[in-house]
């Protein structure tokens, strides 16, 4: 075998194996995020177009004060879970999915993965629905007719 074919074979073996660096703890010397970075990420979770569109819909339906109360209650219910996962990840330098191995074991770590997948599918559906409704409003403004078929 030529050196090129050996190198190509070794490269293909690398791409077929699981990536290990993502599940290993990050050494303290390589950790570059702090509270400011985590705050920006957390704000990014809540401050996006879909949240603003949903908020505008809530305000027009239930009023400003009730919408603010709903947001405060909702964030208060969710924030402990975000903080717990973030604290574990920051303290030990591991991603949340790896931290779940402590609670569920390696064989049971699929449980939070399935829950994450369900949440991701629901979130995708919500974003798609709200974005489609907003796009339909734009089409109605310029074209005069709705194109949503339910």
């Amino acid at each position: 075998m030529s050196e090129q074919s050996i190198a190509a074979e070794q490269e293909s073996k690398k791409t077929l194996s699981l990536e290990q660096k993502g599940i290993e703890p990050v050494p303290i010397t390589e950790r570059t995020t702090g509270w400011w970075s985590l705050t920006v990420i957390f704000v990014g979770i809540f401050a996006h177009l879909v949240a603003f569109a949903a908020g505008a819909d809530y305000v027009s339906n239930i009023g400003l004060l009730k919408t603010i109360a709903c947001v405060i209650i909702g964030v208060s219910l969710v924030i402990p879970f975000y903080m717990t996962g973030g604290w574990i990840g920051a303290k030990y330098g591991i991603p949340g999915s790896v931290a779940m191995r402590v609670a569920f074991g390696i064989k049971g770590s699929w449980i939070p993965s399935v829950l994450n997948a369900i949440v991701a599918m629901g979130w995708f559906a919500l974003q798609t629905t709200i974005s489609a409704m907003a796009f339909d409003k734009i089409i109605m403004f310029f074209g005069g007719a709705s194109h949503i078929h339910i």
Side-chain angles (χ1 to χ4, degrees):
M1 291 179 86
S2 70
E3 287 182 34
Q4 288 179 336
S5 62
I6 292 172
E9 185 178 333
Q10 288 174 345
E11 186 63 32
S12 70
K13 285 181 182 177
K14 286 181 188 176
T15 57
L16 296 177
S17 67
L18 291 174
E19 189 256 330
Q20 292 295 313
K21 188 159 177 71
I23 62 172
E24 294 174 356
V26 177
I28 293 175
T29 56
E30 293 182 26
R31 296 181 196 173
T32 57
T33 58
W35 284 106
W36 178 247
S37 301
L38 296 175
T39 301
V40 170
I41 291 170
F42 188 72
V43 168
I45 290 170
F46 292 105
H48 47 77
L49 181 60
V50 175
F52 290 120
D57 189 44
Y58 297 152
V59 169
S60 67
N61 288 322
I62 65 173
L64 179 63
L65 293 178
K66 288 181 182 176
T67 300
I68 291 171
C70 286
V71 169
I72 290 171
I73 291 168
V75 169
S76 299
L77 292 172
V78 171
I79 203 168
F81 298 104
Y82 278 114
M83 289 178 65
T84 303
W87 176 78
I88 291 169
K91 181 171 181 169
Y92 298 106
I94 55 176
S97 57
V98 175
M100 291 298 108
R101 290 182 180 179
V102 174
F104 295 101
I106 291 177
K107 290 184 179 178
S109 63
W110 63 270
I111 295 169
S113 298
V114 168
L115 294 174
N116 273 342
I118 292 169
V119 168
M121 287 185 284
W123 186 237
F124 175 78
L126 177 70
Q127 287 183 337
T128 302
T129 303
I130 292 175
S131 298
M133 292 168 63
F135 190 65
D136 186 60
K137 298 268 188 206
I138 294 169
I139 296 294
M140 284 176 51
F141 179 78
F142 288 110
S146 176
H147 297 283
I148 292 185
H149 303 285
I150 299 175

